[in-house]
Amino acid sequence: MKKSFLLLTAIFFVIATNAQKKELTNDLIWYSGEFRTEYVSGLRSMNDGVHYTSLEYSDENGSEIVKYAYSTGEKVGVIASSKSIFGKKETGIDDYEFSADESKLLISTDTESIYRHSSRAQYYVFNIEKAKAFPLADAEKGKQRLATFSPDGEKVAFVRKNNLFISDLKYRTEVKVTSDGLDNKIINGATDWVYEEEFGFDRGFYWSPKGDRIAYYKFDETEVKQFQMAMYGDLYPDQYTFKYPKAGEANSIVNIYVYDVTANASRMVNTGSETDIYFPRIKWTKNNDELCIMRMNRHQNHLEFLFTDLRENGPFEISTRVVYSEKSETYIDINDNLIFLADGKTFLWNSERDGYNHIYQFDTNGNMVRQITSGNWDVIDFYGYSEASKTIFYSSSEVSAMEQHVYSQGISKKSGKQLSERKGTNSAAFSSTFDYYINYHSDANTPYYITLHNSKGKEIRMLKDNKAMKETLAGYATSKKEFFTFTNSAGIELNCWMIKPVNFDASKKYPVYVSIYGGPGHNTVTDAWGGRDYLWHQMLAEKGYMVVSCDPRGTMYRGRDFKHATYKQLGKLETEDFIDLAKYLGKQAYVDANRIGIQGWSYGGYMTSLCMTKGAEYYKMGIAVAPVTNWRYYDSIYTERFMQTPQENAEGYDDNSPINHVNLLTGKYLLVHGSADDNVHYQNSMEMVDALVKANKKFDLFIYPNKNHGIYGGNTRLHLFNMMLDFVEENL
């Protein structure tokens, strides 16, 4: 009797305490600055490894590039500012780059975005010692792209209107390296849309170590089909057109050239007779005569490193030899982790060849010197290699697929040392000499705790603790995000998390909101801070919903076989796993099995659409934002990596496209898209609408004019989440 009284008293206290707390709203989450999270970003390590710079703002000077000491965090001085560069504080510094000797700065201003990575801007060169600046190029000729110092800091290469140029800073002259650049036809020194989006880079030229040569890409987009997007606002909408290769369609023909600065001439590299291939990276070795070109077949399951020998002279093509070759029965991921060592004979590269992503050392004949990391876990980030200490630095999933920790390991050692101590997710930003690193830690219920450490892992000082954010959050009624697992129908254990409703009562039955992504390249079930999405889920928990997420087969950090299980059948196994999740949840005493909904964005929108059709028996409501509805509409590189081409794998494409299963829809379905989505085209939703109408199915649709894949800007996000909340409350 006494225990019951104490339990009732405790429950009453919790309910009374929560009742006194404030309620979350979409306005607070998406529009106000109530939950501003402190972060440390934009730091640039200087050559000495003991100082770094940061781009900041002051009322007196406008934008400032400020120098700090790693060890103390003390401000050493201001290197440059809007006032010192432009003569007025009103002109902002958007970005900056040091010359190799740190005597000059390249400053970009008036930047405008092109796609996800790419942009164009006005560039200025600033001599730090003389405190003088001048424009890189004549502004009337157009903005510049990708401006980059030569190794000696005496020249800058850049792209303008699809041609590559070199500016001589001493004589203030400009050399045109290429002259055939043409919009939607020929691109020199930059990448096309699909390389930028799927291989993750937009700069397509690289200075040689001595600065006497530039290796560059040339894209011939002539045969790539053009995609159009209407841009609204004027009496007659503008038609924005760009080359977008869809699955199975023609790609750009890509060639690699090397420009000789002294001879003022370019030569093409002989990369083989096959043209329907990819060159996902090029990189100079430590040898000024050796350029490494990564060559990959269209299926992306055969990767080769080609080395040039530029000692050969003459007008003919530059010959190559294959140094490294790797094949897979599925596909090979590309990254920026290729490191050539100072010995000039070996390089580091990571591979999934043993079933997990690990770091290896190879010689320049392609022979494996050693496997450096090993175990039934994946390397997540490879931070780099210290020649001084012969040590690699990386993060991995060794503790758990849901956690991330930072490690160091001697190149000849058999195991690494865990540097991060706090449970959850840790990532690192190292100084140029690897003497210091900044550790970014968070967990599922705690925002970032950011600290400075030495290379041994010892904490030197705290940088940001987000104390104010934690205190603010404590004023709201929230529930703890909890992790759990369940076993799917194939006998595989899947990782999940759950946020229970505020004042959860196990004797009641609650509706469930399943938040998903579910595709390659992104896990949702991580012991990491979720930002505004976390707050959105907490608001739903306030309103009596249980929020759940799950990482199905095909997601990361559980080895190659788990990640590659969905090969040639994207959507099939993931949908089965999400249906199994709904079945599992429906069996829990505290879940209302008739009120389970699902929501996702992009790949998550694709999964939502499949679950609302193939899994219609289990999901009552679905919100699909910017979904792929048929992989035939998506780009070549991403789609074919996992599916091959539609010509080769028609069943894989069609069996798992939501538009082919709309007749199964029974629940409430909301479809949302931005009309200017250059990534997942608005076409996907239009085709889904057409299929739904033909099947005489009821659904809701909302289109955001001129918004891209992110659907943001102004009140857009607030409007979107208000609409989503209304839909959830009305239908779940």
Side-chain angles (χ1 to χ4, degrees), residues 471-489:
E471 291 174 350
T472 299
L473 196 57
Y476 293 83
T478 60
S479 297
K480 186 178 181 181
K481 182 184 284 188
E482 303 170 357
F483 293 96
F484 70 96
T485 62
F486 82 97
T487 302
N488 68 6
S489 55

Side-chain angles (χ1 to χ4, degrees), residues 446-587:
T446 311
Y448 293 102
Y449 186 79
I450 305 172
T451 47
L452 177 74
H453 300 251
N454 65 19
S455 61
K456 305 297 183 184
K458 180 181 178 181
E459 184 175 323
I460 296 172
R461 58 189 176 88
M462 184 272 291
L463 303 179
K464 301 287 183 183
D465 61 3
N466 273 292
K467 181 180 179 182
M469 171 63 168
K470 293 174 189 175
E471 291 174 350
T472 299
L473 196 57
Y476 293 83
T478 60
S479 297
K480 186 178 181 181
K481 182 184 284 188
E482 303 170 357
F483 293 96
F484 70 96
T485 62
F486 82 97
T487 302
N488 68 6
S489 55
I492 299 171
E493 192 173 68
L494 300 178
N495 296 327
C496 311
W497 58 251
M498 173 188 296
I499 298 176
K500 293 176 180 174
V502 174
N503 301 327
F504 174 76
D505 182 347
S507 66
K508 294 182 178 180
K509 288 185 177 292
Y510 295 95
V512 180
Y513 178 97
V514 178
S515 176
I516 60 167
Y517 182 78
H522 179 67
N523 286 20
T524 59
V525 185
T526 57
D527 194 3
W529 177 244
R532 290 180 176 179
D533 286 340
Y534 172 84
L535 298 171
W536 158 250
H537 295 148
Q538 289 290 351
M539 185 178 73
L540 292 174
E542 273 187 8
K543 296 181 180 296
Y545 296 94
M546 179 176 293
V547 185
V548 174
S549 192
C550 176
D551 280 340
R553 284 170 286 180
T555 50
M556 301 186 297
Y557 311 143
R558 295 183 62 176
R560 179 191 61 204
D561 292 346
F562 187 87
K563 187 174 76 170
H564 292 214
T566 58
Y567 186 63
K568 294 181 70 174
Q569 52 183 4
L570 284 182
K572 181 181 185 295
L573 300 183
E574 306 96 301
T575 303
E576 292 175 6
D577 287 348
F578 285 127
I579 290 173
D580 285 345
L581 173 66
K583 290 178 180 178
Y584 168 81
L585 292 171
K587 292 176 183 178

Side-chain angles (χ1 to χ4, degrees), residues 212-284:
D212 57 346
R213 299 181 177 119
I214 297 179
Y216 65 93
Y217 284 82
K218 181 187 289 289
F219 287 79
D220 184 344
E221 297 185 292
T222 305
E223 299 303 317
V224 179
K225 291 180 180 177
Q226 206 161 254
F227 192 82
Q228 295 185 342
M229 297 188 303
M231 303 300 291
Y232 302 96
D234 294 329
L235 183 61
Y236 291 90
D238 291 330
Q239 291 295 325
Y240 181 77
T241 61
F242 62 105
K243 295 298 184 94
Y244 185 105
K246 299 206 173 193
E249 299 296 313
N251 281 321
S252 295
I253 295 175
V254 184
N255 285 297
I256 309 299
Y257 286 79
V258 176
Y259 174 75
D260 188 307
V261 176
T262 304
N264 189 23
S266 293
R267 286 196 294 160
M268 190 169 76
V269 179
N270 184 348
T271 54
S273 59
E274 178 60 63
T275 59
D276 196 13
I277 55 175
Y278 299 118
F279 303 109
R281 296 289 188 274
I282 62 175
K283 185 173 184 176
W284 291 95

